[in-house]
Amino acid sequence: MMYRLIGEAAMMLHFLFLAFMAVGGFLAWRRPRLIRAHLAVAAWGVASVVTGMECPLTVVEDWGRRNAGEQGLPPTGFIDHYIEGVIYPEEHTNLARLAVAALVLISWAGYLLRRRRAATPPPVNRK
């Protein structure tokens, strides 16, 4: 039972991690301290796509499921198992990656604009 809970918890954390990667920059508009965490998460996302690194959450989920007597994740990993072909067709993987990258860049641009606006004093109205 405990191994299954570990596998399920890792899966949920993975989904939350991916959601934060996609929209965490927008959260930083209200909570500026989140921007550093979002930069790290986005960097991890880029590195994992470019290098093919296996995510530790995938390893933990697979370990938990196998030790619970369930079938583990396929060798292709979390994204291929839960997202590709389920949320979007497999042939649109690059389009989905581009959409997430666009969301991240838009959120960062908005964050920078909001920070600059907050740092600029309002104009003095002299009459």
Side-chain angles (χ1 to χ4, degrees):
M1 178 69 172
M2 185 55 107
Y3 289 118
R4 182 167 188 227
L5 288 174
I6 290 170
E8 295 291 324
M11 177 190 65
M12 293 304 295
L13 282 172
H14 216 153
F15 275 115
L16 289 172
F17 185 87
L18 291 174
F20 184 70
M21 182 174 18
V23 298
F26 294 107
L27 296 174
W29 290 13
R30 291 275 189 186
R31 305 257 190 257
R33 290 182 178 180
L34 287 175
I35 198 65
R36 286 191 175 104
H38 189 254
L39 288 168
V41 167
W44 173 263
V46 169
S48 67
V49 167
V50 171
T51 65
M53 284 189 291
E54 188 171 31
C55 180
L57 289 170
T58 301
V59 174
V60 170
E61 180 186 353
D62 187 57
W63 175 83
R65 292 194 183 284
R66 288 184 190 280
N67 282 306
E70 298 176 6
Q71 183 177 2
L73 290 175
T76 53
F78 180 88
I79 303 263
D80 290 344
H81 183 69
Y82 291 111
I83 297 177
E84 280 184 4
V86 177
I87 294 177
Y88 58 84
E90 199 170 325
E91 60 269 12
H92 296 302
T93 298
N94 288 332
L95 183 60
R97 287 176 178 169
L98 183 63
V100 170
L103 273 176
V104 169
L105 293 175
I106 290 167
S107 73
W108 288 351
Y111 172 82
L112 291 173
L113 287 172
R114 289 176 66 90
R115 297 304 294 166
R116 183 186 308 161
R117 198 173 301 150
T120 305
V124 177
N125 198 3
R126 296 180 190 196
K127 286 192 175 190

